[in-house]
């Protein structure tokens, strides 16, 4: 009610200013010599290219049980959404074959835009489905010299999703026409925002395949800040152990690299996340730095 009565322009400006200050604080922690991912990703995309044909495998779920079905019980809503995820994972397979590298890039960019469109139209389950399917693509190492670039493209989508979820929960913490302080604690987070945050983690925990479950949870790792002061530090060892279940050594080491990249630059959590091991192919090592 406070948010509805507040001036939208003023509220948006306050949230944007708070977001920029958080980014500056994060950058000051890692040091001035730290090379940001935004600059490194361009080098990886330019270097790791291929002339081989690529493919994309997507599992398109059936249209039964759409999100938004009217129901009064919260437990019924949760059950319906979990069934939708199961249905999507068991749906019909759609394979795009003989794609050039540019075709592949274009298709991934389309999926990234589809994610944003789904989120903007309040189709949160559809957005999650897109992220799950994109994460599954990281299990394919058939064109190994392109894998670093594929990693960049897919994690761009994961980053988009993580940011959307975090900002959504952060926006729910509006109280008395103000936003959370820059260094907030879980005590500053209202029950509605905490419940929404938990709901996201519960939905992600229901993903049956290891690789998408790991990547999607890692993408919203920062959201643990809404629930517990030690939430991130507690989750990091568990996620690191999850990576041990990935059999392919290349996929495994890039999963570790992603976990290191999304870990908030905070001294309290630096000791629990192991550095990524060198990948099995020496020429790919530079794609991880």
């Amino acid at each position: 009610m406070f948010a509805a009565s507040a001036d939208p322009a003023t509220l948006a400006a306050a949230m944007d200013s708070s977001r920029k200050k958080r980014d500056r604080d994060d950058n000051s922690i890692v040091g001035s010599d730290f090379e940001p991912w935004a600059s490194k990703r361009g080098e990886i995309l330019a270097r790791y290219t291929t002339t081989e044909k690529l493919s994309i495998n997507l599992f398109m779920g059936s249209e039964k049980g759409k999100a938004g079905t009217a129901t009064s019980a919260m437990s019924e809503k949760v059950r319906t959404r979990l069934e939708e995820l199961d249905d999507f994972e068991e749906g019909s397979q759609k394979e795009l074959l003989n794609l050039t590298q540019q075709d592949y890039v274009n298709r991934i960019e389309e999926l990234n835009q589809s994610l944003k469109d789904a989120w903007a139209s309040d189709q949160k389950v559809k957005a999650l489905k897109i992220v799950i399917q994109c994460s599954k693509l990281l299990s394919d190492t058939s064109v190994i010299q392109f894998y670093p670039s594929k990693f960049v493209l897919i994690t761009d989508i994961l980053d988009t999703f993580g940011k959307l979820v975090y900002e959504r929960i952060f926006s729910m913490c509006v109280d008395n026409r103000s936003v959370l302080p820059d260094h907030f604690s879980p005590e500053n987070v209202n029950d509605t925002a905490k419940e929404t945050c938990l709901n996201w983690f519960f939905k992600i925990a229901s993903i049956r395949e290891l690789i998408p479950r790991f990547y999607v949870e890692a993408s919203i790792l920062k959201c643990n800040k809404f629930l517990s002061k030690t939430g991130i530090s507690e989750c990091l060892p568990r996620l690191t152990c999850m990576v041990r279940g990935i059999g392919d050594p290349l996929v495994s080491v890039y999963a570790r690299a992603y976990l290191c990249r999304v870990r908030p630059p905070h001294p309290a959590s630096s000791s629990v996340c192991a550095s990524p091991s060198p990948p099995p192919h020496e020429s790919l090592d530079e794609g991880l730095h």
Side-chain angles (χ1 to χ4, degrees):
M1 292 174 63
F2 282 125
S5 61
D7 180 11
T10 302
L11 188 59
M15 291 185 65
D16 185 60
S17 175
S18 178
R19 186 183 307 115
K20 289 179 179 178
K21 189 175 187 305
R22 291 199 309 273
D23 292 341
R24 288 196 300 270
D25 291 342
D26 287 347
N27 290 336
S28 66
I29 292 173
V30 296
S32 59
D33 60 340
F34 179 77
E35 185 176 8
W37 174 251
S39 62
K40 191 64 181 176
R41 65 179 296 281
E43 298 176 18
I44 298 173
L45 290 172
R47 176 164 185 171
Y48 297 99
T49 60
T50 183
T51 57
E52 292 188 42
K53 295 299 182 181
L54 304 166
S55 63
I56 295 180
N57 289 305
L58 296 175
F59 290 85
M60 311 307 292
S62 67
E63 294 299 314
K64 69 180 181 180
K66 286 186 176 294
T69 301
T71 177
S72 57
M74 179 59 68
S75 60
E76 189 66 23
K77 284 185 178 181
V78 173
R79 188 166 63 109
T80 299
R81 290 175 179 176
L82 294 180
E83 288 174 352
E84 289 173 20
L85 292 179
D86 279 344
D87 175 56
F88 192 79
E89 291 189 270
E90 295 171 353
S92 60
Q93 182 176 359
K94 179 179 180 181
E95 187 173 19
L96 304 178
L97 301 172
N98 297 320
L99 300 176
T100 65
Q101 179 178 317
Q102 189 57 51
D103 291 336
Y104 192 97
V105 172
N106 292 341
R107 180 56 180 159
I108 296 300
E109 289 176 350
E110 289 173 7
L111 288 169
N112 202 350
Q113 187 59 48
S114 295
L115 166 63
K116 296 175 183 177
D117 293 342
W119 191 273
S121 59
D122 203 31
Q123 300 181 65
K124 303 297 192 298
V125 172
K126 180 179 179 181
L128 180 56
K129 291 175 180 179
I130 292 172
V131 177
I132 291 171
Q133 292 305 301
C134 290
S135 300
K136 290 182 180 182
L137 299 177
L138 289 172
S139 64
D140 177 17
T141 60
S142 56
V143 184
I144 193 170
Q145 67 269 27
F146 182 67
Y147 193 84
S149 290
K150 177 195 284 189
F151 173 82
V152 169
L153 296 170
I154 300 300
T155 54
D156 280 350
I157 294 179
L158 288 161
D159 291 345
T160 297
F161 177 73
K163 182 178 180 181
L164 289 171
V165 173
Y166 185 89
E167 295 298 340
R168 166 62 177 161
I169 298 171
F170 190 85
S171 69
M172 298 176 69
C173 298
V174 174
D175 190 18
N176 296 326
R177 303 187 184 185
S178 64
V179 297
L180 285 178
D182 297 319
H183 300 289
F184 66 88
S185 65
E187 290 76 18
N188 302 125
V189 180
N190 59 48
D191 291 340
T192 302
K194 287 183 177 180
E195 182 179 353
T196 300
C197 187
L198 281 171
N199 188 34
W200 275 111
F201 281 110
F202 290 153
K203 282 198 285 260
I204 292 170
S206 73
I207 301 172
R208 288 175 297 176
E209 293 187 34
L210 173 61
I211 291 177
R213 186 170 71 251
F214 165 82
Y215 271 104
V216 179
E217 182 176 352
S219 73
I220 67 165
L221 177 67
K222 190 178 177 182
C223 292
N224 281 284
K225 291 172 58 179
F226 296 108
L227 302 174
S228 168
K229 291 181 179 179
T230 59
I232 293 177
S233 297
E234 292 171 356
C235 284
L236 281 170
R238 178 175 55 80
L239 289 171
T240 303
C241 289
M242 284 175 63
V243 178
R244 298 175 185 172
I246 300 176
D248 188 297
L250 182 65
V251 178
S252 175
V253 76
Y254 272 81
R256 288 186 174 91
Y258 183 68
L259 185 57
C260 290
R261 184 163 72 77
V262 298
R263 179 182 60 82
H266 191 282
S269 60
S270 61
S271 62
V272 297
C273 186
S275 299
S277 306
H281 193 292
E282 184 178 356
S283 64
L284 294 180
D285 184 46
E286 296 180 19
L288 291 175
H289 293 326

